[in-house]
């Protein structure tokens, strides 16, 4: 549950930073936000690796009996898989784009990270577009995920959302 909410907060912050830093005008703050965005992306990547490692060793709770139809369970699994995949791909594509442009990623201004693609302006252009569309795809999936959670809470009233809320007043008793 903690990984879920930490990653959710990081993704929302990264998306907000991404929207801010790509909008005019150019200001000194925008340049700082670029670094913060990169740092957050690296931290998001690390948190996602840790979450997947956790998930491998700890199975998710089974669907609530009789609550979700088999198609809903399948859709939920597919969306979760895509969310995990995009939490890897978005930061990696941003890191690759940055290094293809010839700009290093220096975590917290102290720890230089390896460049894993060569400096190549043409590749940087492709990676920039790739990062952009992967981020928008992640944003759309997050909205779908939130909409499904709200549907479970307010339409189905089935306790699915409450399983992800700590000490929830909405938690269904067993």
């Amino acid at each position: 549950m903690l990984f879920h909410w930490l990653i959710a907060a990081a993704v929302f912050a990264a998306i907000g930073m991404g929207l801010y830093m790509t909008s005019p005008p150019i200001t000194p703050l925008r340049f700082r936000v670029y670094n913060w965005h990169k740092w957050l992306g690296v931290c998001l990547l690390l948190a996602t690796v840790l979450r997947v490692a956790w998930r491998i060793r700890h199975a998710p709770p089974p669907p609530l009996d009789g609550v979700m139809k088999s198609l809903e369970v399948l859709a939920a699994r597919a969306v979760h898989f895509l969310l995990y995949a995009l939490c890897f791909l978005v930061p990696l594509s941003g890191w690759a784009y940055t290094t293809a442009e010839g700009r290093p990623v220096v975590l917290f201004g102290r720890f230089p990270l390896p460049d894993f693609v060569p400096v190549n302006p043409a590749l940087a252009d492709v990676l920039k577009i790739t990062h952009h569309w992967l981020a928008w795809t992640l944003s759309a999936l997050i909205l779908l995920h939130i909409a499904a959670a709200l549907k479970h809470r307010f339409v189905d009233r089935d306790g699915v959302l409450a399983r992800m809320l700590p000490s929830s007043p909405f938690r269904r008793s067993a």
Side-chain angles (χ1 to χ4, degrees):
M1 192 181 311
L2 180 63
F3 275 128
H4 175 272
W5 292 109
L6 286 174
I7 289 172
V11 168
F12 279 116
I15 290 169
M17 287 178 193
L19 291 171
Y20 174 75
M21 66 190 218
T22 57
S23 62
I26 295 174
T27 65
L29 177 60
R30 270 186 58 198
F31 287 111
R32 283 192 300 264
V33 171
Y34 269 95
N35 282 326
W36 299 339
H37 181 79
K38 289 185 223 178
W39 300 346
L40 189 56
V42 172
C43 292
L44 176 61
L45 182 61
L46 178 60
T48 302
V49 168
L50 293 173
R51 181 161 189 203
V52 168
W54 171 268
R55 182 54 63 216
I56 288 169
R57 296 186 51 85
H58 301 85
L64 293 172
D65 288 336
V67 170
M68 292 174 60
K69 298 175 183 97
S70 61
L71 187 57
E72 287 179 310
V73 172
L74 181 64
R77 287 185 180 146
V79 168
H80 281 102
F81 174 81
L82 290 171
L83 287 169
Y84 281 118
L86 287 166
C87 283
F88 280 110
L89 294 173
V90 173
L92 285 174
S93 65
W95 186 356
Y97 155 57
T98 298
T99 58
E101 279 196 321
R103 292 182 285 126
V105 177
V106 183
L107 187 60
F108 308 125
R110 293 193 170 271
F111 308 104
L113 300 181
D115 297 340
F116 65 93
V117 297
V119 174
N120 180 330
L123 178 60
D125 290 341
V126 170
L127 289 169
K128 180 179 183 179
I129 293 166
T130 301
H131 181 66
H132 173 90
W133 285 108
L134 288 173
W136 278 111
T137 303
L138 177 59
S139 299
L141 276 176
I142 289 168
L143 290 176
L144 179 64
H145 185 65
I146 291 169
L150 293 174
K151 173 198 171 278
H152 281 287
R153 170 65 186 112
F154 296 108
V155 176
D156 299 341
R157 299 178 186 266
D158 58 16
V160 170
L161 173 61
R163 292 172 19 147
M164 284 309 297
L165 300 174
S167 302
S168 170
F170 307 114
R171 192 176 300 274
R172 213 165 81 167
S173 56

